[in-house]
């Protein structure tokens, strides 16, 4: 796979300022040209004004320009999507169902600087003579990177086939006809494709170094505004990741996550087909109705007509 990571997304929202305030509280910092940055991924979130919330662009990174040539060839050979823009180190391809611009560009791999976490267990004491680092700080959390996007589309099989056969993502697990979890890196899912009546971003997720940061970040966000809370704390079944979901002011869910599964090679992993909603969580509070059926969905459908 020439792809190696999810690099960035652009969200279209009606109220840009409100979303910027939310993501600043969330722990993102000011990047270049109005972008919001993560600690390790740099400029990863762009917010632009739009009539209704939408995923306006998704960016994926490859290692070398030759990967772009192979991608352009697959647009022709598979017959899905269309090339919107080309450049020496980037290629923008339109997804065939929704027209979503998918920008694939040569980009450096992550060089995250993560402090090793020491954990004491009954038979293994790693941290001696000192308390856990998480109880010694009240500094705000800063997400490491933008790790996944869940994108709803009205023709899930076609959108999924575009991303697998043209763009080159691999399927990690799926609930056939409902949602497919795909990756462009070793992370279990970077892009999930969900079957819904209309295109919209269901949620975006930011990876934290550890569970402590998920909890500290979630608590701080909810302390500041209880209405932000959506679902958590819990642990997903698919991907195993810890989660705490919040709702940003324009309606997209935003997740703090940690300890998601890693897949080293497709032939060492057995993609599984799940049924029903068993994939949603292994433990945690019950899934709120609005997580499955966002309350603004009728508005998005009306605005997209
Ligand atoms: Fe998620």
């Amino acid at each position: 796979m020439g792809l190696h990571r999810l690099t960035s997304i652009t969200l279209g929202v009606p109220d840009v300022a409100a979303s910027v305030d939310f993501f600043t509280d969330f722990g993102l910092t000011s990047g270049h040209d109005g972008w919001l940055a993560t600690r390790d991924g740099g400029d990863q979130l762009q917010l632009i004004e739009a009539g209704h919330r939408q995923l306006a662009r998704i960016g994926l990174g490859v290692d070398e320009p030759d990967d772009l040539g192979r991608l352009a060839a697959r647009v022709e050979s598979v017959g899905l999507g269309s090339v919107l823009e080309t450049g020496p180190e980037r290629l923008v391809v339109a997804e065939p169902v929704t027209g979503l611009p998918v920008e694939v560009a040569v980009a450096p791999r992550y060089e995250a600087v993560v402090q090793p976490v020491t954990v004491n267990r009954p038979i293994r004491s790693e941290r001696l003579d000192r308390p856990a680092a998480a109880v010694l700080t009240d500094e705000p959390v800063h997400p490491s990177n933008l790790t996944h996007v869940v994108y709803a589309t009205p023709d899930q099989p076609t959108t999924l086939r575009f991303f697998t056969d043209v763009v080159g993502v691999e399927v990690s697990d799926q609930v056939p006809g409902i949602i497919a979890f795909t990756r462009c890196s070793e992370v279990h899912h970077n892009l999930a494709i969900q079957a819904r009546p209309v295109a919209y971003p269901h949620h975006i997720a930011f990876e934290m170094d550890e569970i402590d940061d998920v909890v500290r970040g979630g608590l701080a966000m909810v302390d500041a505004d209880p209405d932000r809370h959506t679902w958590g704390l819990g642990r997903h079944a698919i991907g195993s990741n810890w989660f705490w979901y919040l709702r940003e002011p324009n309606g997209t869910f935003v997740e703090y996550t940690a300890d998601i599964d890693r897949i080293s090679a497709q032939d060492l992993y057995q993609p599984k087909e799940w049924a029903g909603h068993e994939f949603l969580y292994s433990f945690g509070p019950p899934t709120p109705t609005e997580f499955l059926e966002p309350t603004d969905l009728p508005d998005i459908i009306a605005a997209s007509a």
Side-chain angles (χ1 to χ4, degrees):
M1 172 165 38
L3 300 167
H4 62 76
R5 68 177 168 109
L6 172 65
T7 50
S8 64
I9 59 165
T10 299
L11 284 184
V13 295
D15 186 344
V16 172
S19 287
V20 169
D21 287 348
F22 172 92
F23 283 107
T24 301
D25 284 358
F26 187 81
L28 304 189
T29 56
S30 295
H32 302 91
D33 301 325
W35 281 69
L36 292 167
T38 60
R39 186 192 66 198
D40 302 318
D43 297 342
Q44 293 208 282
L45 177 62
Q46 182 186 41
L47 296 159
I48 62 172
E49 191 169 337
H52 65 279
R53 69 181 178 96
Q54 55 196 269
L55 185 61
R57 191 195 59 87
I58 185 168
L60 306 173
V62 292
D63 286 317
E64 48 187 296
D66 284 354
D67 293 319
L68 303 175
R70 287 187 279 271
L71 169 58
R74 288 195 298 273
V75 172
E76 292 300 318
S77 63
V78 176
L80 280 178
S82 56
V83 174
L84 293 177
E85 294 176 45
T86 58
E89 298 214 325
R90 63 190 284 272
L91 182 68
V92 184
V93 181
E95 188 277 331
V97 176
T98 66
L100 172 72
V102 180
E103 179 173 358
V104 183
V106 177
R109 290 182 175 242
Y110 280 130
E111 292 182 20
V113 180
V114 178
Q115 298 299 321
V117 178
T118 50
V119 178
N120 288 338
R121 297 193 183 97
I123 58 167
R124 184 172 174 179
S125 301
E126 296 177 338
R127 193 186 70 249
L128 298 171
D129 310 317
R130 58 195 165 87
V135 306
L136 297 176
T137 180
D138 56 4
E139 288 293 307
V141 299
H142 290 293
S144 161
N145 63 84
L146 172 68
T147 183
H148 67 258
V149 178
V150 175
Y151 183 53
T153 165
D155 183 353
Q156 193 256 9
T158 301
T159 300
L160 178 59
R161 197 158 73 82
F162 166 77
F163 276 104
T164 55
D165 294 5
V166 176
V167 178
V169 304
E170 292 182 298
V171 175
S172 300
D173 285 289
Q174 62 179 314
V175 189
I178 296 177
I179 190 168
F181 293 82
T182 78
R183 69 187 191 281
C184 60
S185 71
E186 68 175 10
V187 171
H188 179 279
H189 51 275
N190 301 112
L191 173 67
I193 308 294
Q194 185 186 19
R196 299 296 287 148
V198 70
Y200 65 92
H202 178 272
H203 74 264
I204 63 176
F206 293 85
E207 187 174 26
M208 315 303 286
D209 292 347
E210 54 194 296
I211 176 64
D212 286 303
D213 293 334
V214 173
V215 176
R216 293 202 308 114
L219 286 172
M221 291 296 282
V222 173
D223 278 351
D225 181 354
D227 288 341
R228 291 167 166 170
H229 176 71
T230 301
W231 187 30
L233 173 76
R235 192 141 189 168
H236 282 302
I238 280 187
S240 306
N241 46 316
W242 289 106
F243 64 85
W244 189 327
Y245 290 91
L246 307 154
R247 188 192 325 90
E248 62 90 26
N250 287 285
T252 299
F253 302 125
V254 185
E255 176 185 5
Y256 285 121
T257 191
D259 196 25
I260 192 168
D261 294 343
R262 255 63 175 181
I263 297 171
S264 64
Q266 189 75 354
D267 56 3
L268 296 178
Y269 182 77
Q270 295 295 323
K272 181 180 168 187
E273 292 194 353
W274 298 62
H277 284 131
E278 64 174 356
F279 70 93
L280 274 170
Y281 68 115
S282 179
F283 52 85
T287 313
T289 303
E290 72 163 322
F291 189 79
L292 304 173
E293 195 74 19
T295 53
D296 64 351
L297 196 55
D299 298 335
I300 297 175
I301 292 171
S304 303

